Amino acid sequence: MNRHLLSIDDLAVDDVRTIFDTAVEMHDVQKRQVKKLPALRGRTVINLFFEDSTRTRSSFEIAGKWLSADTINITGKGSSTSKGESLRDTVLTVCAMGVDALVMRHSASGSAKQVSEWVDAVVINAGDGTHEHPTQALLDAYTLERRLGSLEGRRISVIGDLTHSRVFRSNVLLLTKLGAEVTVVAPPTLMPSGIDAWSKDAGFATSYDIDEVLPTSDAVMMLRVQRERMNGAFFPSAREYTVGYGLTRDRLASLAEGTPILHPGPMNRGLEIAADAADAAHSLILDQVSAGVAVRMSVLYHLLAGEEATA
Amino acid sequence: MSAPENDSSRVIVKGASLLGDKSADLLIVGGVIREIGSIDARDTAHGSATVIDADGLVALPGLVDLHTHLREPGREDAETIRTGSMAAAVGGYTAVLAMANTSPVTDTAENAERVFDLGRAAGLVDVHPVGAVTRGLAGEELAELGLMNRSRARVKVFSDDGKCVGDPRVMRRALEYVKAFGGVISQHSQDASLAGASACCHEGELSGQLGLPGWPGVAEEIIVARDVMLARHTGSRVHVAHVSTAGSVEVLRWAKAQAAKDGHWSVTAEVTPHHLLLTTDLLSGYDPTYKVNPPLRPVEDVEALRAALADGTIDAVATDHAPHARHDKEHAFVDAAFGMLGLETALAVVNTVMRGNDLLDWAGIASVMSANPARIAGLDDQGQGIAVGAPANLTLIDPDASVTVDRDASVSLSRNNPWHGRTLTGAVHATLLRGVATVVEGQLA
Ligand SMILES: [Zn+2]
C-alpha cells in the first residue's frame, strides 16, 4: 500500500480487498458495547478541515477514537490564503506539533497531494476540491458489495453534477477497478471537460438520458446538486433539473425491485432525489454512513499501524 | 545609458559567425559598429581596443523582449528592475518592455518615467515601460496614453497584461487613440466570463480528471478575433500577447492576409518559449511551477505555435518572464500565483525547439527575438542587425553548448523556473549593450 491515501489511484485491487476485509472486522466493533481497539494507542491523527464537513470529519474522528488514537480537529473556513499564510506554512505549523496522520479536507483540487510532498505525516485525502474523496468511494463500494456481493459485471449508474463532484471522480476509478460497468449520467453542462476521451480510456459509459439507464441498473448512485450552480447557467431551474435528472417517484418505479440507492449526502430532497427514494427500503444511505466509520478505521489502521516499525 | 555613445572607446569582436553565416571581425567604436571584415587588433590604429575572442560563437543582434514583468515598484521581493535587468542581460537581451501591472500601475507619465529611470540606473539593458491601457488596469477609463508617450519614457506599447481589456468599446477607443502617435495595444486575450474567475489551467481531459477549473482555448480565440476586427475597423495596430492555441493561429493567419490586402491596419503576435515546448500534462502533479496564464496547452497547440512562428504568422518570441516569491507559489494549485521565469533561458529554448527541429535558422531567430520585437515596439536603436553604422547591441552565443538548467544558478530573485533540471542547447556567452559588455563568458561583467 502507498504511504498516503490521496487518490483511488494509490490503491491496487489487493489493497482495496485488504481494506474491505479489515473493515468487516471493524464493522463488528461498532456492534460491541465497548467500541475500542488499542491498535493506534499513542498515535496522533489531526483532522485538518479547511472546509466544513461535519459528516466526514466526525466519521474520521470516531474512527480514530475507536482505534485509540488521539484525534484532534483543526477547522478553518476558507483557505489559508485568506489569512495571507501559504498552505505550506500552515501545514508545516500543524505538523510541527508532532503528527502521525493528517486527514485533510480542502476546497482546492490537488491540495492533499501537494501537502503530502511537504510533510512527514501520512496524508489521507478527505476531499480535495472537485478532485477526489477516496474514503467515500471505498465506503460506497464496500456498502454495495455487502448488498450485492462481487461488483464484477454489475451495472452501476452515477447520476448528477459530475463536473463538481469529487465523489464521482473517486467512485468511477474504484468501481471500474472492481470490475463494475459504470454509466455516468448528467446534462452536458455538468459533464467534466474531455469526458468523451477520458471515459473511453477508463472504460466507463456516459449518457444524458437517465430513463434509458435506470431500468438496467444494478445500483444507482445519486450525487448532490449544489443550488448555487443554478446561477452559473449550468441548468435552467431546479424544476427542470428534477424533471430531467432527478430520481423521482416515477423513476423509482422504473428500477428493478430492490435496486440499491446510494447518496453521499447531504441530500436535497425533492431536487435530485425524491423522499420516497431516499427512504425506500432498498436505500443504502444510512448504511453508507455506518460503513464510513468501519472503512475509515480500516484505512487508518493500515496506513498507521503498519508503520510502527519505522516510526 | 551607461554606454557612452560619442567617445572613441574601441572593441574588436574576433571571428564571430554573423547570424550563423560567415565569420568576420567587428570593430566597434563609441558603441557603434564601425567596420566589418578582417580587423587586426595589433594594427596600431586599434592597439588600444578591447578584444573579445568570438571564435566558434554566433553573433546575433541584441535580443528584445516585448513582455517582461519586473515587479518593481511593489514587489521588490520577487524581482527588481535591477535584478530583472541582470536576468535579461544574462539571457542575451539588450532591451526589455516592462509590463504595467506593478503597484502602483504604470498608468501615468510619472510612473512610466520612474520605471524608465530605474532601468537607466541599472544600466544593463534598455528598460522601456509598457503603459497601462486603462487606469489602474480596471478596464474602464483610458489611462493617460498620450502623456505617457510624451514623457521621457516615450511609451509606445500599451497593455493591461494580466487582464484582458474586456469591454469592446474601451478597446476600440484605445486602438483609435494611440494612432495619433503610432502606439500599439498589446492585448492579453482572455474572455473573463468564459474563462471564469477561478480558471487555472487548460480546459480539457486532464482538467476534467484533476477537478481543476479550466479555461478553453475559445476564451482566447474570440478575443483575438474580436480585436482584429476592431483594429481593421479603426485602422490601427493591435498586438496579440502570448498566443497559446491553434485556433488563435488560424484567426491570425486570416487576419494577416486581410491586413496585407487592406493596407491601413496591422496585427502582430508573440509566443512565449514555454508555449513552444511545455504541455498541459505537466500539471498532473499539481505543481504550481507550471501554473501560467495563458495555460500550457496540449501538444497539438504547441505544434501549431511552432509552425506559426516558423512561417511568420507569429512575429516574435516574448518571455512573459513572471517572477514570484516562493511563498506565492506554495499555495494549493488554484490559489497559487500565475507565471514562470523566462529571460535567462529563452534563447536556449527557442534554439532547442526551433533550430533543433529545422524550423528556424539563426537569421530566423534574430528576426523573431530581436528585429521583429524592436519593430513592433518602435525601438529605433535595437534590432537593427549587424551592419556598419548600427548600434553595437550584440549577443554572442555558443551554439552547441549543452546546459542543464539549475534554478539556483539564476540571477533573478525568484525561483519559479519550469526549466529546472532540463537540458537545453545553446548558451549566451556575451552580451554587448552599445559596445559595452554586460555579460562575459556567461557571467555578468
Ligand atoms: Zn498576459
Side-chain angles (χ1 to χ4, degrees):
Chain A
M1 211 170 292
N2 275 355
R3 211 167 95 70
H4 307 288
L5 179 56
L6 308 172
S7 160
I8 290 297
D9 276 336
D10 290 333
L11 300 172
V13 174
D14 284 349
D15 298 329
V16 177
R17 293 263 72 92
T18 305
I19 289 170
F20 285 2
D21 290 346
T22 308
V24 173
E25 293 169 37
M26 299 298 180
H27 224 137
D28 292 336
V29 175
Q30 288 177 291
K31 292 174 199 142
R32 293 195 208 161
Q33 213 160 17
V34 178
K35 303 179 179 64
K36 204 84 162 170
L37 297 175
L40 299 186
R41 190 181 290 148
R43 326 274 342 235
T44 302
V45 177
I46 292 202
N47 286 329
L48 183 58
F49 275 56
F50 293 94
E51 186 185 80
D52 267 350
S53 168
T54 311
R55 171 180 303 248
T56 303
R57 183 177 46 71
S58 35
S59 181
F60 269 110
E61 191 177 355
I62 293 171
K65 285 195 182 345
W66 286 355
L67 290 170
S68 304
D70 294 310
T71 59
I72 292 139
N73 295 319
I74 300 179
T75 52
K77 228 187 166 180
S79 72
S80 52
T81 333
S82 57
K83 287 177 254 157
E85 186 177 50
S86 75
L87 179 61
R88 184 167 183 270
D89 284 341
T90 305
V91 295
L92 287 182
T93 303
V94 167
C95 287
M97 297 174 194
V99 173
D100 298 298
L102 206 55
V103 176
M104 189 176 127
R105 161 70 62 96
H106 195 287
S107 62
S109 301
S111 49
K113 159 109 173 101
Q114 290 176 268
V115 165
S116 74
E117 285 160 15
W118 296 326
V119 301
D120 293 328
V122 166
V123 177
I124 298 172
N125 182 4
D128 60 327
T130 55
H131 178 225
E132 280 211 48
H133 192 357
T135 59
Q136 176 74 40
L138 287 166
L139 74 89
D140 289 342
Y142 171 84
T143 306
L144 272 173
E145 275 199 358
R146 280 171 68 99
R147 180 60 59 98
L148 297 174
S150 166
L151 299 185
E152 187 75 43
R154 297 287 190 171
R155 282 181 286 218
I156 301 172
S157 317
V158 182
I159 300 161
D161 178 355
L162 304 173
T163 294
H164 303 98
S165 175
R166 50 190 167 220
V167 175
F168 148 67
R169 282 182 182 74
S170 283
N171 261 301
V172 78
L173 289 174
L174 181 56
L175 295 173
T176 52
K177 198 181 281 259
L178 296 176
E181 290 176 22
V182 179
T183 301
V184 301
V185 184
T189 48
L190 292 175
M191 289 274 187
S193 60
I195 196 165
D196 290 346
W198 173 17
S199 59
K200 218 168 281 166
D201 295 345
F204 63 94
T206 63
S207 171
Y208 304 140
D209 189 347
I210 185 172
D211 293 306
E212 200 174 81
V213 170
L214 285 182
T216 58
S217 295
D218 295 316
V220 179
M221 191 178 284
M222 300 306 295
L223 300 173
R224 175 181 169 77
V225 170
Q226 269 142 30
R227 287 182 179 272
E228 59 266 30
R229 304 280 173 234
M230 284 187 284
N231 303 323
F234 289 101
F235 53 90
S237 69
R239 189 168 70 120
E240 182 162 332
Y241 184 87
T242 305
V243 170
Y245 297 92
L247 185 55
T248 59
R249 215 169 148 171
D250 289 348
R251 290 197 175 111
L252 188 60
S254 75
L255 293 174
E257 190 160 342
T259 305
I261 296 167
L262 294 90
H263 190 298
M267 292 178 280
N268 294 299
R269 285 174 181 255
L271 178 54
E272 73 265 2
I273 188 165
D276 290 1
D279 302 333
H282 46 99
S283 158
L284 297 182
I285 294 169
L286 291 177
D287 299 52
Q288 288 174 273
V289 177
S290 72
V293 176
V295 166
R296 288 176 177 125
M297 286 173 78
S298 175
V299 165
L300 284 172
Y301 174 80
H302 285 292
L303 291 182
L304 281 182
E307 263 216 329
E308 216 109 43
T310 55
Chain B
M1 314 276 145
S2 64
E5 309 224 359
N6 296 314
D7 73 1
S8 55
S9 66
R10 285 157 185 265
V11 179
I12 296 172
V13 177
K14 286 293 287 178
S17 157
L18 307 184
L19 272 57
D21 201 2
K22 65 176 195 318
S23 290
D25 307 332
L26 304 175
L27 173 64
I28 298 162
V29 180
V32 174
I33 299 173
R34 179 67 61 83
E35 211 180 307
I36 300 176
S38 181
I39 296 154
D40 189 347
R42 290 163 306 177
D43 183 335
T44 48
H46 306 124
S48 62
T50 308
V51 178
I52 298 174
D53 178 10
D55 189 31
L57 303 180
V58 170
L60 299 189
L63 308 183
V64 176
D65 190 17
L66 280 170
H67 195 143
T68 308
H69 295 275
L70 294 181
R71 302 297 181 219
E72 184 177 7
R75 283 306 301 266
E76 290 82 353
D77 60 328
E79 197 81 289
T80 65
I81 288 174
R82 177 165 181 81
T83 59
S85 294
M86 287 157 59
V90 167
Y93 286 88
T94 50
V96 300
L97 280 95
M99 278 297 170
N101 63 338
T102 46
S103 179
V105 171
T106 308
D107 57 0
T108 64
E110 293 71 23
N111 291 348
E113 288 183 346
R114 179 174 169 192
V115 170
F116 182 71
D117 291 343
L118 285 165
R120 283 183 78 129
L124 291 163
V125 293
D126 292 352
V127 175
H128 296 280
V130 172
V133 179
T134 67
R135 209 166 290 182
L137 308 177
E140 287 159 13
E141 303 161 278
L142 292 183
E144 291 176 343
L145 308 174
L147 292 181
M148 285 191 272
N149 179 259
R150 284 163 195 264
S151 78
R152 218 167 37 245
R154 297 243 161 271
V155 179
K156 283 190 182 143
V157 182
F158 301 90
S159 181
D160 277 1
D161 184 62
K163 290 179 174 174
C164 180
V165 179
D167 185 334
R169 188 182 50 89
V170 173
M171 187 62 180
R172 175 211 166 142
R173 293 299 180 215
L175 285 166
E176 277 176 339
Y177 196 80
V178 300
K179 283 166 66 178
F181 43 85
V184 60
I185 307 294
S186 168
Q187 175 74 294
H188 177 125
S189 307
Q190 180 184 313
D191 183 88
S193 170
L194 258 185
S198 53
C200 60
C201 63
H202 172 71
E203 180 184 297
E205 185 181 356
L206 185 68
S207 71
Q209 291 181 10
L210 295 175
L212 290 174
W215 66 88
V218 71
E220 173 176 306
E221 291 149 11
I222 63 168
I223 297 294
V224 176
R226 183 199 76 175
D227 286 352
V228 296
M229 298 315 274
L230 287 172
R232 179 158 83 160
H233 178 73
T234 54
S236 192
R237 290 171 63 207
V238 68
H239 175 73
V240 183
H242 41 50
V243 173
S244 75
T245 79
S248 295
V249 168
E250 278 180 63
V251 174
L252 284 169
R253 207 163 266 147
W254 174 85
K256 288 204 150 187
Q258 293 304 307
K261 231 184 291 172
D262 298 346
H264 68 292
W265 65 286
S266 75
V267 54
T268 53
E270 69 188 36
V271 63
T272 72
H274 48 270
H275 288 108
L276 289 172
L277 182 52
L278 305 180
T279 51
T280 188
D281 50 282
L282 288 166
L283 268 49
S284 61
Y286 296 97
D287 181 350
T289 306
Y290 300 109
K291 181 177 173 183
V292 66
N293 181 354
L296 300 178
R297 304 286 188 186
V299 67
E300 306 84 72
D301 291 306
V302 169
E303 281 166 4
L305 294 169
R306 291 178 182 185
L309 185 64
D311 72 16
T313 304
I314 294 175
D315 305 80
V317 171
T319 66
D320 199 0
H321 178 80
H324 286 293
R326 211 177 280 244
H327 55 264
D328 289 324
K329 281 283 193 184
E330 289 177 340
H331 290 284
F333 191 88
V334 293
D335 300 324
F338 286 105
M340 41 182 69
L341 298 184
L343 282 170
E344 291 166 274
T345 46
L347 189 277
V349 173
V350 173
N351 181 45
T352 303
V353 171
M354 299 301 291
R355 215 175 60 86
N357 289 307
D358 292 323
L359 293 167
L360 286 178
D361 56 13
W362 283 114
I365 291 179
S367 296
V368 301
M369 296 190 77
S370 178
N372 293 350
R375 172 177 52 81
I376 292 165
L379 307 180
D380 302 330
D381 56 348
Q382 295 282 347
Q384 285 189 13
I386 303 173
V388 172
N393 297 315
L394 293 172
T395 301
L396 301 175
I397 297 153
D398 182 348
D400 302 317
S402 172
V403 178
T404 302
V405 179
D406 174 4
R407 67 181 157 223
D408 293 316
S410 174
V411 296
S412 166
L413 288 183
S414 291
R415 293 290 174 268
N416 50 316
N417 189 331
W419 310 104
H420 180 68
R422 281 183 191 253
T423 301
L424 301 168
T425 306
V428 173
H429 179 85
T431 310
L432 277 72
L433 177 66
R434 280 180 287 279
V436 176
T438 55
V439 170
V440 179
E441 290 180 5
Q443 306 293 320
L444 287 166

